[in-house]
Amino acid sequence: MTTSFVYECLDSVDSTNTYLKEHPKLWNQNFYTLRAINQTNGRGRHGRNWFSGKNNLTFSFIFNSLNLFNTLDISSLTIYAGLVLRNALSRISKLPVLIKWPNDITYQNKKLCGILTEMVQIKESKIVIIGIGVNLNTDQIPEELLEKTTSLKDITKKDFSPELVLNEIMNDMVQYLPTYNLPFSESICAEFAANCDRDANLVTLVDKNTKSIIRKKFDILGINEHGLLSVIDENGNHNYINANELEFNQNPKNQNKDTI
Ligand code: BTN
């Protein structure tokens, strides 16, 4: 039984993440949620744009937890939020959706949903803004994105109510996100391993320091207790990949393309 989640909804805003960043008065309201019907400058990871057609779902919320003080970076929180999101979307859609490390939710190797997590720090307080874009009802996916993007309507041929989906997701976030802590427990690592997109194993890694591009094929084992991706490369070497140091892409051709 879920309760009705109260949130603010704007017809149009540049980006719900940017709006929350620019309104520090809202930062002490844990789980304060802003939805936008239309974003004029939606942002994705790595400086990409995030396009969202009509009747999709775009929103951001504040997360404020003492456990964040143990967190050196927020990629592990993004993974944790991704697990919560995957479970909610799988329940809502009745589809075996997967989590593609570090921040995508996929179905049959196509992107359904993305998360943009940003930390803001003033004096002693550290808060996180978690932005989520769900491809709900897009039935006209731009040609250039067809290969790697899908929507719940595209898959099921049914319409999904953005209000109901947001309500389900946020009820789960409120229930589970406060239990986020590092190191991850064995059951969290096992849950990730059971639900991760293993097809996303042909990757392009961009070394943020040298900007050099390394193309590798990995077998994905899961995550370790710090949220690093545990992989075995073609030569049988075991490695851990950090989402902050390396960019993880499936298709080198689409590396700088915008996403929906
Ligand atoms: C990604 O996959 O690169 C992350 C996409 C995150 C998009 C959402 S939509 C709501 C929130 N506002 C933004 O500007 N971005 C996030």
Side-chain angles (χ1 to χ4, degrees), residues 44-51 111 143-145 147-148 247 249 251-260:
R45 289 178 80 235
H46 304 300
R48 296 191 189 100
N49 293 328
W50 177 267
F51 290 124
K111 182 159 172 166
E143 184 82 30
E144 67 276 18
L145 298 175
E147 199 190 322
K148 59 170 192 168
E247 185 168 329
N249 272 306
N251 184 350
K253 281 187 298 186
N254 289 328
Q255 206 154 281
N256 294 312
K257 286 261 175 75
D258 296 335
T259 54
I260 61 170

mmCIF file with all atom_site columns, all heavy atoms in Angstrom, residues 44-51 111 143-145 147-148 247 249 251-260:
data_model
loop_
_atom_site.group_PDB
_atom_site.id
_atom_site.type_symbol
_atom_site.label_atom_id
_atom_site.label_alt_id
_atom_site.label_comp_id
_atom_site.label_asym_id
_atom_site.label_entity_id
_atom_site.label_seq_id
_atom_site.pdbx_PDB_ins_code
_atom_site.Cartn_x
_atom_site.Cartn_y
_atom_site.Cartn_z
_atom_site.occupancy
_atom_site.B_iso_or_equiv
_atom_site.pdbx_formal_charge
_atom_site.auth_seq_id
_atom_site.auth_comp_id
_atom_site.auth_asym_id
_atom_site.auth_atom_id
_atom_site.pdbx_PDB_model_num
ATOM 1   N N   . GLY A 1 44  ? 22.334 15.490 -18.715 1.00 0.00 ? 44  GLY A N   1
ATOM 2   C CA  . GLY A 1 44  ? 22.698 14.112 -18.431 1.00 0.00 ? 44  GLY A CA  1
ATOM 3   C C   . GLY A 1 44  ? 24.112 14.070 -17.880 1.00 0.00 ? 44  GLY A C   1
ATOM 4   O O   . GLY A 1 44  ? 24.705 15.116 -17.587 1.00 0.00 ? 44  GLY A O   1
ATOM 5   N N   . ARG A 1 45  ? 24.641 12.887 -17.712 1.00 0.00 ? 45  ARG A N   1
ATOM 6   C CA  . ARG A 1 45  ? 26.012 12.763 -17.212 1.00 0.00 ? 45  ARG A CA  1
ATOM 7   C C   . ARG A 1 45  ? 26.996 13.187 -18.295 1.00 0.00 ? 45  ARG A C   1
ATOM 8   O O   . ARG A 1 45  ? 26.674 13.217 -19.465 1.00 0.00 ? 45  ARG A O   1
ATOM 9   C CB  . ARG A 1 45  ? 26.295 11.322 -16.780 1.00 0.00 ? 45  ARG A CB  1
ATOM 10  C CG  . ARG A 1 45  ? 25.550 10.960 -15.500 1.00 0.00 ? 45  ARG A CG  1
ATOM 11  C CD  . ARG A 1 45  ? 25.787 9.541  -15.119 1.00 0.00 ? 45  ARG A CD  1
ATOM 12  N NE  . ARG A 1 45  ? 27.065 9.348  -14.458 1.00 0.00 ? 45  ARG A NE  1
ATOM 13  C CZ  . ARG A 1 45  ? 27.998 8.483  -14.864 1.00 0.00 ? 45  ARG A CZ  1
ATOM 14  N NH1 . ARG A 1 45  ? 27.820 7.757  -15.934 1.00 0.00 ? 45  ARG A NH1 1
ATOM 15  N NH2 . ARG A 1 45  ? 29.118 8.345  -14.198 1.00 0.00 ? 45  ARG A NH2 1
ATOM 16  N N   . HIS A 1 46  ? 28.214 13.487 -17.873 1.00 0.00 ? 46  HIS A N   1
ATOM 17  C CA  . HIS A 1 46  ? 29.309 13.850 -18.778 1.00 0.00 ? 46  HIS A CA  1
ATOM 18  C C   . HIS A 1 46  ? 28.940 15.028 -19.684 1.00 0.00 ? 46  HIS A C   1
ATOM 19  O O   . HIS A 1 46  ? 29.319 15.059 -20.852 1.00 0.00 ? 46  HIS A O   1
ATOM 20  C CB  . HIS A 1 46  ? 29.723 12.652 -19.630 1.00 0.00 ? 46  HIS A CB  1
ATOM 21  C CG  . HIS A 1 46  ? 30.110 11.463 -18.798 1.00 0.00 ? 46  HIS A CG  1
ATOM 22  N ND1 . HIS A 1 46  ? 31.138 11.482 -17.895 1.00 0.00 ? 46  HIS A ND1 1
ATOM 23  C CD2 . HIS A 1 46  ? 29.569 10.226 -18.724 1.00 0.00 ? 46  HIS A CD2 1
ATOM 24  C CE1 . HIS A 1 46  ? 31.231 10.312 -17.301 1.00 0.00 ? 46  HIS A CE1 1
ATOM 25  N NE2 . HIS A 1 46  ? 30.290 9.531  -17.775 1.00 0.00 ? 46  HIS A NE2 1
ATOM 26  N N   . GLY A 1 47  ? 28.138 15.967 -19.146 1.00 0.00 ? 47  GLY A N   1
ATOM 27  C CA  . GLY A 1 47  ? 27.808 17.184 -19.898 1.00 0.00 ? 47  GLY A CA  1
ATOM 28  C C   . GLY A 1 47  ? 26.879 16.966 -21.079 1.00 0.00 ? 47  GLY A C   1
ATOM 29  O O   . GLY A 1 47  ? 26.706 17.861 -21.905 1.00 0.00 ? 47  GLY A O   1
ATOM 30  N N   . ARG A 1 48  ? 26.281 15.799 -21.169 1.00 0.00 ? 48  ARG A N   1
ATOM 31  C CA  . ARG A 1 48  ? 25.352 15.572 -22.278 1.00 0.00 ? 48  ARG A CA  1
ATOM 32  C C   . ARG A 1 48  ? 24.024 16.261 -21.991 1.00 0.00 ? 48  ARG A C   1
ATOM 33  O O   . ARG A 1 48  ? 23.711 16.596 -20.857 1.00 0.00 ? 48  ARG A O   1
ATOM 34  C CB  . ARG A 1 48  ? 25.084 14.079 -22.460 1.00 0.00 ? 48  ARG A CB  1
ATOM 35  C CG  . ARG A 1 48  ? 26.299 13.287 -22.864 1.00 0.00 ? 48  ARG A CG  1
ATOM 36  C CD  . ARG A 1 48  ? 25.856 11.892 -23.273 1.00 0.00 ? 48  ARG A CD  1
ATOM 37  N NE  . ARG A 1 48  ? 26.997 11.037 -23.477 1.00 0.00 ? 48  ARG A NE  1
ATOM 38  C CZ  . ARG A 1 48  ? 27.443 10.155 -22.586 1.00 0.00 ? 48  ARG A CZ  1
ATOM 39  N NH1 . ARG A 1 48  ? 26.839 10.018 -21.436 1.00 0.00 ? 48  ARG A NH1 1
ATOM 40  N NH2 . ARG A 1 48  ? 28.492 9.420  -22.854 1.00 0.00 ? 48  ARG A NH2 1
ATOM 41  N N   . ASN A 1 49  ? 23.212 16.432 -23.052 1.00 0.00 ? 49  ASN A N   1
ATOM 42  C CA  . ASN A 1 49  ? 21.848 16.929 -22.852 1.00 0.00 ? 49  ASN A CA  1
ATOM 43  C C   . ASN A 1 49  ? 20.931 15.750 -22.593 1.00 0.00 ? 49  ASN A C   1
ATOM 44  O O   . ASN A 1 49  ? 21.227 14.624 -23.001 1.00 0.00 ? 49  ASN A O   1
ATOM 45  C CB  . ASN A 1 49  ? 21.349 17.648 -24.106 1.00 0.00 ? 49  ASN A CB  1
ATOM 46  C CG  . ASN A 1 49  ? 22.121 18.917 -24.365 1.00 0.00 ? 49  ASN A CG  1
ATOM 47  O OD1 . ASN A 1 49  ? 22.574 19.568 -23.423 1.00 0.00 ? 49  ASN A OD1 1
ATOM 48  N ND2 . ASN A 1 49  ? 22.295 19.246 -25.628 1.00 0.00 ? 49  ASN A ND2 1
ATOM 49  N N   . TRP A 1 50  ? 19.814 16.055 -21.922 1.00 0.00 ? 50  TRP A N   1
ATOM 50  C CA  . TRP A 1 50  ? 18.791 15.021 -21.729 1.00 0.00 ? 50  TRP A CA  1
ATOM 51  C C   . TRP A 1 50  ? 17.496 15.539 -22.348 1.00 0.00 ? 50  TRP A C   1
ATOM 52  O O   . TRP A 1 50  ? 16.902 16.487 -21.869 1.00 0.00 ? 50  TRP A O   1
ATOM 53  C CB  . TRP A 1 50  ? 18.593 14.723 -20.240 1.00 0.00 ? 50  TRP A CB  1
ATOM 54  C CG  . TRP A 1 50  ? 17.508 13.722 -19.972 1.00 0.00 ? 50  TRP A CG  1
ATOM 55  C CD1 . TRP A 1 50  ? 16.191 13.993 -19.705 1.00 0.00 ? 50  TRP A CD1 1
ATOM 56  C CD2 . TRP A 1 50  ? 17.631 12.293 -19.959 1.00 0.00 ? 50  TRP A CD2 1
ATOM 57  N NE1 . TRP A 1 50  ? 15.517 12.821 -19.529 1.00 0.00 ? 50  TRP A NE1 1
ATOM 58  C CE2 . TRP A 1 50  ? 16.355 11.757 -19.674 1.00 0.00 ? 50  TRP A CE2 1
ATOM 59  C CE3 . TRP A 1 50  ? 18.692 11.403 -20.162 1.00 0.00 ? 50  TRP A CE3 1
ATOM 60  C CZ2 . TRP A 1 50  ? 16.113 10.386 -19.586 1.00 0.00 ? 50  TRP A CZ2 1
ATOM 61  C CZ3 . TRP A 1 50  ? 18.450 10.044 -20.069 1.00 0.00 ? 50  TRP A CZ3 1
ATOM 62  C CH2 . TRP A 1 50  ? 17.173 9.551  -19.782 1.00 0.00 ? 50  TRP A CH2 1
ATOM 63  N N   . PHE A 1 51  ? 17.068 14.919 -23.432 1.00 0.00 ? 51  PHE A N   1
ATOM 64  C CA  . PHE A 1 51  ? 15.802 15.292 -24.078 1.00 0.00 ? 51  PHE A CA  1
ATOM 65  C C   . PHE A 1 51  ? 14.706 14.406 -23.527 1.00 0.00 ? 51  PHE A C   1
ATOM 66  O O   . PHE A 1 51  ? 14.910 13.212 -23.326 1.00 0.00 ? 51  PHE A O   1
ATOM 67  C CB  . PHE A 1 51  ? 15.889 15.070 -25.591 1.00 0.00 ? 51  PHE A CB  1
ATOM 68  C CG  . PHE A 1 51  ? 16.797 16.020 -26.285 1.00 0.00 ? 51  PHE A CG  1
ATOM 69  C CD1 . PHE A 1 51  ? 17.845 15.566 -27.049 1.00 0.00 ? 51  PHE A CD1 1
ATOM 70  C CD2 . PHE A 1 51  ? 16.591 17.390 -26.166 1.00 0.00 ? 51  PHE A CD2 1
ATOM 71  C CE1 . PHE A 1 51  ? 18.693 16.453 -27.686 1.00 0.00 ? 51  PHE A CE1 1
ATOM 72  C CE2 . PHE A 1 51  ? 17.437 18.282 -26.805 1.00 0.00 ? 51  PHE A CE2 1
ATOM 73  C CZ  . PHE A 1 51  ? 18.488 17.803 -27.564 1.00 0.00 ? 51  PHE A CZ  1
ATOM 74  N N   . LYS A 1 111 ? 18.250 1.859  -23.307 1.00 0.00 ? 111 LYS A N   1
ATOM 75  C CA  . LYS A 1 111 ? 18.083 2.698  -22.114 1.00 0.00 ? 111 LYS A CA  1
ATOM 76  C C   . LYS A 1 111 ? 16.629 3.128  -21.893 1.00 0.00 ? 111 LYS A C   1
ATOM 77  O O   . LYS A 1 111 ? 15.981 3.636  -22.797 1.00 0.00 ? 111 LYS A O   1
ATOM 78  C CB  . LYS A 1 111 ? 18.977 3.930  -22.269 1.00 0.00 ? 111 LYS A CB  1
ATOM 79  C CG  . LYS A 1 111 ? 18.967 4.873  -21.102 1.00 0.00 ? 111 LYS A CG  1
ATOM 80  C CD  . LYS A 1 111 ? 20.213 5.732  -21.143 1.00 0.00 ? 111 LYS A CD  1
ATOM 81  C CE  . LYS A 1 111 ? 20.179 6.838  -20.121 1.00 0.00 ? 111 LYS A CE  1
ATOM 82  N NZ  . LYS A 1 111 ? 21.499 7.451  -19.947 1.00 0.00 ? 111 LYS A NZ  1
ATOM 83  N N   . GLU A 1 143 ? 15.389 8.834  -34.708 1.00 0.00 ? 143 GLU A N   1
ATOM 84  C CA  . GLU A 1 143 ? 16.082 7.788  -35.477 1.00 0.00 ? 143 GLU A CA  1
ATOM 85  C C   . GLU A 1 143 ? 17.473 7.454  -34.921 1.00 0.00 ? 143 GLU A C   1
ATOM 86  O O   . GLU A 1 143 ? 17.810 6.294  -34.699 1.00 0.00 ? 143 GLU A O   1
ATOM 87  C CB  . GLU A 1 143 ? 16.213 8.314  -36.927 1.00 0.00 ? 143 GLU A CB  1
ATOM 88  C CG  . GLU A 1 143 ? 16.807 7.350  -37.917 1.00 0.00 ? 143 GLU A CG  1
ATOM 89  C CD  . GLU A 1 143 ? 15.783 6.358  -38.435 1.00 0.00 ? 143 GLU A CD  1
ATOM 90  O OE1 . GLU A 1 143 ? 14.599 6.726  -38.507 1.00 0.00 ? 143 GLU A OE1 1
ATOM 91  O OE2 . GLU A 1 143 ? 16.186 5.212  -38.738 1.00 0.00 ? 143 GLU A OE2 1
ATOM 92  N N   . GLU A 1 144 ? 18.244 8.531  -34.618 1.00 0.00 ? 144 GLU A N   1
ATOM 93  C CA  . GLU A 1 144 ? 19.631 8.311  -34.211 1.00 0.00 ? 144 GLU A CA  1
ATOM 94  C C   . GLU A 1 144 ? 19.754 7.675  -32.822 1.00 0.00 ? 144 GLU A C   1
ATOM 95  O O   . GLU A 1 144 ? 20.814 7.201  -32.431 1.00 0.00 ? 144 GLU A O   1
ATOM 96  C CB  . GLU A 1 144 ? 20.448 9.610  -34.308 1.00 0.00 ? 144 GLU A CB  1
ATOM 97  C CG  . GLU A 1 144 ? 20.078 10.719 -33.337 1.00 0.00 ? 144 GLU A CG  1
ATOM 98  C CD  . GLU A 1 144 ? 18.913 11.602 -33.803 1.00 0.00 ? 144 GLU A CD  1
ATOM 99  O OE1 . GLU A 1 144 ? 18.148 11.186 -34.703 1.00 0.00 ? 144 GLU A OE1 1
ATOM 100 O OE2 . GLU A 1 144 ? 18.754 12.701 -33.239 1.00 0.00 ? 144 GLU A OE2 1
ATOM 101 N N   . LEU A 1 145 ? 18.623 7.690  -32.055 1.00 0.00 ? 145 LEU A N   1
ATOM 102 C CA  . LEU A 1 145 ? 18.681 7.114  -30.712 1.00 0.00 ? 145 LEU A CA  1
ATOM 103 C C   . LEU A 1 145 ? 17.990 5.749  -30.621 1.00 0.00 ? 145 LEU A C   1
ATOM 104 O O   . LEU A 1 145 ? 18.064 5.069  -29.600 1.00 0.00 ? 145 LEU A O   1
ATOM 105 C CB  . LEU A 1 145 ? 18.037 8.063  -29.694 1.00 0.00 ? 145 LEU A CB  1
ATOM 106 C CG  . LEU A 1 145 ? 18.698 9.436  -29.545 1.00 0.00 ? 145 LEU A CG  1
ATOM 107 C CD1 . LEU A 1 145 ? 17.887 10.325 -28.606 1.00 0.00 ? 145 LEU A CD1 1
ATOM 108 C CD2 . LEU A 1 145 ? 20.118 9.300  -29.013 1.00 0.00 ? 145 LEU A CD2 1
ATOM 109 N N   . GLU A 1 147 ? 18.579 2.882  -31.754 1.00 0.00 ? 147 GLU A N   1
ATOM 110 C CA  . GLU A 1 147 ? 19.432 1.715  -31.511 1.00 0.00 ? 147 GLU A CA  1
ATOM 111 C C   . GLU A 1 147 ? 19.693 1.490  -30.024 1.00 0.00 ? 147 GLU A C   1
ATOM 112 O O   . GLU A 1 147 ? 19.919 0.382  -29.578 1.00 0.00 ? 147 GLU A O   1
ATOM 113 C CB  . GLU A 1 147 ? 20.753 1.973  -32.232 1.00 0.00 ? 147 GLU A CB  1
ATOM 114 C CG  . GLU A 1 147 ? 21.592 0.753  -32.488 1.00 0.00 ? 147 GLU A CG  1
ATOM 115 C CD  . GLU A 1 147 ? 22.967 1.182  -32.979 1.00 0.00 ? 147 GLU A CD  1
ATOM 116 O OE1 . GLU A 1 147 ? 23.031 2.163  -33.754 1.00 0.00 ? 147 GLU A OE1 1
ATOM 117 O OE2 . GLU A 1 147 ? 23.944 0.560  -32.573 1.00 0.00 ? 147 GLU A OE2 1
ATOM 118 N N   . LYS A 1 148 ? 19.654 2.592  -29.250 1.00 0.00 ? 148 LYS A N   1
ATOM 119 C CA  . LYS A 1 148 ? 20.066 2.436  -27.850 1.00 0.00 ? 148 LYS A CA  1
ATOM 120 C C   . LYS A 1 148 ? 19.052 2.932  -26.819 1.00 0.00 ? 148 LYS A C   1
ATOM 121 O O   . LYS A 1 148 ? 19.325 2.933  -25.637 1.00 0.00 ? 148 LYS A O   1
ATOM 122 C CB  . LYS A 1 148 ? 21.412 3.124  -27.620 1.00 0.00 ? 148 LYS A CB  1
ATOM 123 C CG  . LYS A 1 148 ? 21.421 4.599  -27.931 1.00 0.00 ? 148 LYS A CG  1
ATOM 124 C CD  . LYS A 1 148 ? 22.714 5.231  -27.454 1.00 0.00 ? 148 LYS A CD  1
ATOM 125 C CE  . LYS A 1 148 ? 22.626 6.732  -27.481 1.00 0.00 ? 148 LYS A CE  1
ATOM 126 N NZ  . LYS A 1 148 ? 23.702 7.392  -26.803 1.00 0.00 ? 148 LYS A NZ  1
ATOM 127 N N   . GLU A 1 247 ? 34.795 6.767  -18.109 1.00 0.00 ? 247 GLU A N   1
ATOM 128 C CA  . GLU A 1 247 ? 33.483 6.860  -18.728 1.00 0.00 ? 247 GLU A CA  1
ATOM 129 C C   . GLU A 1 247 ? 33.170 5.510  -19.338 1.00 0.00 ? 247 GLU A C   1
ATOM 130 O O   . GLU A 1 247 ? 34.018 4.897  -19.977 1.00 0.00 ? 247 GLU A O   1
ATOM 131 C CB  . GLU A 1 247 ? 33.508 7.937  -19.803 1.00 0.00 ? 247 GLU A CB  1
ATOM 132 C CG  . GLU A 1 247 ? 32.167 8.195  -20.407 1.00 0.00 ? 247 GLU A CG  1
ATOM 133 C CD  . GLU A 1 247 ? 32.194 9.472  -21.238 1.00 0.00 ? 247 GLU A CD  1
ATOM 134 O OE1 . GLU A 1 247 ? 32.969 10.382 -20.893 1.00 0.00 ? 247 GLU A OE1 1
ATOM 135 O OE2 . GLU A 1 247 ? 31.465 9.536  -22.208 1.00 0.00 ? 247 GLU A OE2 1
ATOM 136 N N   . ASN A 1 249 ? 30.960 3.466  -21.818 1.00 0.00 ? 249 ASN A N   1
ATOM 137 C CA  . ASN A 1 249 ? 30.040 3.575  -22.954 1.00 0.00 ? 249 ASN A CA  1
ATOM 138 C C   . ASN A 1 249 ? 29.931 2.275  -23.683 1.00 0.00 ? 249 ASN A C   1
ATOM 139 O O   . ASN A 1 249 ? 30.889 1.525  -23.780 1.00 0.00 ? 249 ASN A O   1
ATOM 140 C CB  . ASN A 1 249 ? 30.544 4.619  -23.953 1.00 0.00 ? 249 ASN A CB  1
ATOM 141 C CG  . ASN A 1 249 ? 30.050 5.975  -23.597 1.00 0.00 ? 249 ASN A CG  1
ATOM 142 O OD1 . ASN A 1 249 ? 28.850 6.165  -23.451 1.00 0.00 ? 249 ASN A OD1 1
ATOM 143 N ND2 . ASN A 1 249 ? 30.960 6.894  -23.431 1.00 0.00 ? 249 ASN A ND2 1
ATOM 144 N N   . ASN A 1 251 ? 28.589 2.079  -26.989 1.00 0.00 ? 251 ASN A N   1
ATOM 145 C CA  . ASN A 1 251 ? 28.798 2.222  -28.412 1.00 0.00 ? 251 ASN A CA  1
ATOM 146 C C   . ASN A 1 251 ? 29.687 3.435  -28.677 1.00 0.00 ? 251 ASN A C   1
ATOM 147 O O   . ASN A 1 251 ? 29.255 4.558  -28.534 1.00 0.00 ? 251 ASN A O   1
ATOM 148 C CB  . ASN A 1 251 ? 27.432 2.391  -29.094 1.00 0.00 ? 251 ASN A CB  1
ATOM 149 C CG  . ASN A 1 251 ? 27.580 2.441  -30.586 1.00 0.00 ? 251 ASN A CG  1
ATOM 150 O OD1 . ASN A 1 251 ? 28.684 2.543  -31.106 1.00 0.00 ? 251 ASN A OD1 1
ATOM 151 N ND2 . ASN A 1 251 ? 26.458 2.364  -31.274 1.00 0.00 ? 251 ASN A ND2 1
ATOM 152 N N   . PRO A 1 252 ? 30.953 3.204  -29.052 1.00 0.00 ? 252 PRO A N   1
ATOM 153 C CA  . PRO A 1 252 ? 31.879 4.306  -29.232 1.00 0.00 ? 252 PRO A CA  1
ATOM 154 C C   . PRO A 1 252 ? 31.357 5.360  -30.204 1.00 0.00 ? 252 PRO A C   1
ATOM 155 O O   . PRO A 1 252 ? 31.620 6.541  -30.034 1.00 0.00 ? 252 PRO A O   1
ATOM 156 C CB  . PRO A 1 252 ? 33.131 3.646  -29.809 1.00 0.00 ? 252 PRO A CB  1
ATOM 157 C CG  . PRO A 1 252 ? 32.972 2.189  -29.605 1.00 0.00 ? 252 PRO A CG  1
ATOM 158 C CD  . PRO A 1 252 ? 31.525 1.903  -29.356 1.00 0.00 ? 252 PRO A CD  1
ATOM 159 N N   . LYS A 1 253 ? 30.545 4.959  -31.185 1.00 0.00 ? 253 LYS A N   1
ATOM 160 C CA  . LYS A 1 253 ? 30.046 5.912  -32.174 1.00 0.00 ? 253 LYS A CA  1
ATOM 161 C C   . LYS A 1 253 ? 29.157 6.965  -31.511 1.00 0.00 ? 253 LYS A C   1
ATOM 162 O O   . LYS A 1 253 ? 29.045 8.081  -31.948 1.00 0.00 ? 253 LYS A O   1
ATOM 163 C CB  . LYS A 1 253 ? 29.201 5.185  -33.232 1.00 0.00 ? 253 LYS A CB  1
ATOM 164 C CG  . LYS A 1 253 ? 30.031 4.481  -34.274 1.00 0.00 ? 253 LYS A CG  1
ATOM 165 C CD  . LYS A 1 253 ? 29.132 3.951  -35.367 1.00 0.00 ? 253 LYS A CD  1
ATOM 166 C CE  . LYS A 1 253 ? 28.177 2.936  -34.801 1.00 0.00 ? 253 LYS A CE  1
ATOM 167 N NZ  . LYS A 1 253 ? 27.328 2.235  -35.729 1.00 0.00 ? 253 LYS A NZ  1
ATOM 168 N N   . ASN A 1 254 ? 28.446 6.554  -30.432 1.00 0.00 ? 254 ASN A N   1
ATOM 169 C CA  . ASN A 1 254 ? 27.470 7.445  -29.805 1.00 0.00 ? 254 ASN A CA  1
ATOM 170 C C   . ASN A 1 254 ? 28.023 8.202  -28.609 1.00 0.00 ? 254 ASN A C   1
ATOM 171 O O   . ASN A 1 254 ? 27.269 8.763  -27.838 1.00 0.00 ? 254 ASN A O   1
ATOM 172 C CB  . ASN A 1 254 ? 26.264 6.626  -29.326 1.00 0.00 ? 254 ASN A CB  1
ATOM 173 C CG  . ASN A 1 254 ? 25.458 6.140  -30.491 1.00 0.00 ? 254 ASN A CG  1
ATOM 174 O OD1 . ASN A 1 254 ? 25.385 6.800  -31.504 1.00 0.00 ? 254 ASN A OD1 1
ATOM 175 N ND2 . ASN A 1 254 ? 24.885 4.965  -30.351 1.00 0.00 ? 254 ASN A ND2 1
ATOM 176 N N   . GLN A 1 255 ? 29.341 8.204  -28.484 1.00 0.00 ? 255 GLN A N   1
ATOM 177 C CA  . GLN A 1 255 ? 29.911 8.701  -27.246 1.00 0.00 ? 255 GLN A CA  1
ATOM 178 C C   . GLN A 1 255 ? 29.441 10.080 -26.797 1.00 0.00 ? 255 GLN A C   1
ATOM 179 O O   . GLN A 1 255 ? 29.176 10.297 -25.648 1.00 0.00 ? 255 GLN A O   1
ATOM 180 C CB  . GLN A 1 255 ? 31.408 8.728  -27.394 1.00 0.00 ? 255 GLN A CB  1
ATOM 181 C CG  . GLN A 1 255 ? 32.081 8.601  -26.070 1.00 0.00 ? 255 GLN A CG  1
ATOM 182 C CD  . GLN A 1 255 ? 33.421 8.005  -26.292 1.00 0.00 ? 255 GLN A CD  1
ATOM 183 O OE1 . GLN A 1 255 ? 33.530 6.812  -26.471 1.00 0.00 ? 255 GLN A OE1 1
ATOM 184 N NE2 . GLN A 1 255 ? 34.414 8.835  -26.328 1.00 0.00 ? 255 GLN A NE2 1
ATOM 185 N N   . ASN A 1 256 ? 29.347 11.026 -27.727 1.00 0.00 ? 256 ASN A N   1
ATOM 186 C CA  . ASN A 1 256 ? 28.963 12.373 -27.297 1.00 0.00 ? 256 ASN A CA  1
ATOM 187 C C   . ASN A 1 256 ? 27.554 12.751 -27.699 1.00 0.00 ? 256 ASN A C   1
ATOM 188 O O   . ASN A 1 256 ? 27.175 13.904 -27.671 1.00 0.00 ? 256 ASN A O   1
ATOM 189 C CB  . ASN A 1 256 ? 29.960 13.390 -27.856 1.00 0.00 ? 256 ASN A CB  1
ATOM 190 C CG  . ASN A 1 256 ? 31.313 13.176 -27.222 1.00 0.00 ? 256 ASN A CG  1
ATOM 191 O OD1 . ASN A 1 256 ? 31.406 13.050 -26.009 1.00 0.00 ? 256 ASN A OD1 1
ATOM 192 N ND2 . ASN A 1 256 ? 32.337 13.070 -28.033 1.00 0.00 ? 256 ASN A ND2 1
ATOM 193 N N   . LYS A 1 257 ? 26.778 11.766 -28.084 1.00 0.00 ? 257 LYS A N   1
ATOM 194 C CA  . LYS A 1 257 ? 25.414 12.066 -28.504 1.00 0.00 ? 257 LYS A CA  1
ATOM 195 C C   . LYS A 1 257 ? 24.533 12.393 -27.308 1.00 0.00 ? 257 LYS A C   1
ATOM 196 O O   . LYS A 1 257 ? 24.729 11.911 -26.201 1.00 0.00 ? 257 LYS A O   1
ATOM 197 C CB  . LYS A 1 257 ? 24.832 10.835 -29.225 1.00 0.00 ? 257 LYS A CB  1
ATOM 198 C CG  . LYS A 1 257 ? 25.400 10.639 -30.627 1.00 0.00 ? 257 LYS A CG  1
ATOM 199 C CD  . LYS A 1 257 ? 24.439 11.185 -31.655 1.00 0.00 ? 257 LYS A CD  1
ATOM 200 C CE  . LYS A 1 257 ? 25.010 11.118 -33.054 1.00 0.00 ? 257 LYS A CE  1
ATOM 201 N NZ  . LYS A 1 257 ? 24.993 9.761  -33.553 1.00 0.00 ? 257 LYS A NZ  1
ATOM 202 N N   . ASP A 1 258 ? 23.506 13.184 -27.579 1.00 0.00 ? 258 ASP A N   1
ATOM 203 C CA  . ASP A 1 258 ? 22.523 13.469 -26.542 1.00 0.00 ? 258 ASP A CA  1
ATOM 204 C C   . ASP A 1 258 ? 21.707 12.221 -26.264 1.00 0.00 ? 258 ASP A C   1
ATOM 205 O O   . ASP A 1 258 ? 21.684 11.301 -27.062 1.00 0.00 ? 258 ASP A O   1
ATOM 206 C CB  . ASP A 1 258 ? 21.596 14.584 -27.024 1.00 0.00 ? 258 ASP A CB  1
ATOM 207 C CG  . ASP A 1 258 ? 22.370 15.864 -27.234 1.00 0.00 ? 258 ASP A CG  1
ATOM 208 O OD1 . ASP A 1 258 ? 23.423 16.027 -26.604 1.00 0.00 ? 258 ASP A OD1 1
ATOM 209 O OD2 . ASP A 1 258 ? 21.915 16.678 -28.032 1.00 0.00 ? 258 ASP A OD2 1
ATOM 210 N N   . THR A 1 259 ? 21.051 12.218 -25.121 1.00 0.00 ? 259 THR A N   1
ATOM 211 C CA  . THR A 1 259 ? 20.279 11.035 -24.761 1.00 0.00 ? 259 THR A CA  1
ATOM 212 C C   . THR A 1 259 ? 18.851 11.408 -24.385 1.00 0.00 ? 259 THR A C   1
ATOM 213 O O   . THR A 1 259 ? 18.572 12.525 -24.011 1.00 0.00 ? 259 THR A O   1
ATOM 214 C CB  . THR A 1 259 ? 20.904 10.318 -23.549 1.00 0.00 ? 259 THR A CB  1
ATOM 215 O OG1 . THR A 1 259 ? 21.053 11.251 -22.512 1.00 0.00 ? 259 THR A OG1 1
ATOM 216 C CG2 . THR A 1 259 ? 22.232 9.699  -23.900 1.00 0.00 ? 259 THR A CG2 1
ATOM 217 N N   . ILE A 1 260 ? 17.958 10.451 -24.518 1.00 0.00 ? 260 ILE A N   1
ATOM 218 C CA  . ILE A 1 260 ? 16.635 10.614 -23.912 1.00 0.00 ? 260 ILE A CA  1
ATOM 219 C C   . ILE A 1 260 ? 16.417 9.410  -23.017 1.00 0.00 ? 260 ILE A C   1
ATOM 220 O O   . ILE A 1 260 ? 17.101 8.420  -23.146 1.00 0.00 ? 260 ILE A O   1
ATOM 221 C CB  . ILE A 1 260 ? 15.463 10.718 -24.917 1.00 0.00 ? 260 ILE A CB  1
ATOM 222 C CG1 . ILE A 1 260 ? 15.364 9.460  -25.767 1.00 0.00 ? 260 ILE A CG1 1
ATOM 223 C CG2 . ILE A 1 260 ? 15.572 11.942 -25.748 1.00 0.00 ? 260 ILE A CG2 1
ATOM 224 C CD1 . ILE A 1 260 ? 14.106 9.393  -26.588 1.00 0.00 ? 260 ILE A CD1 1
#
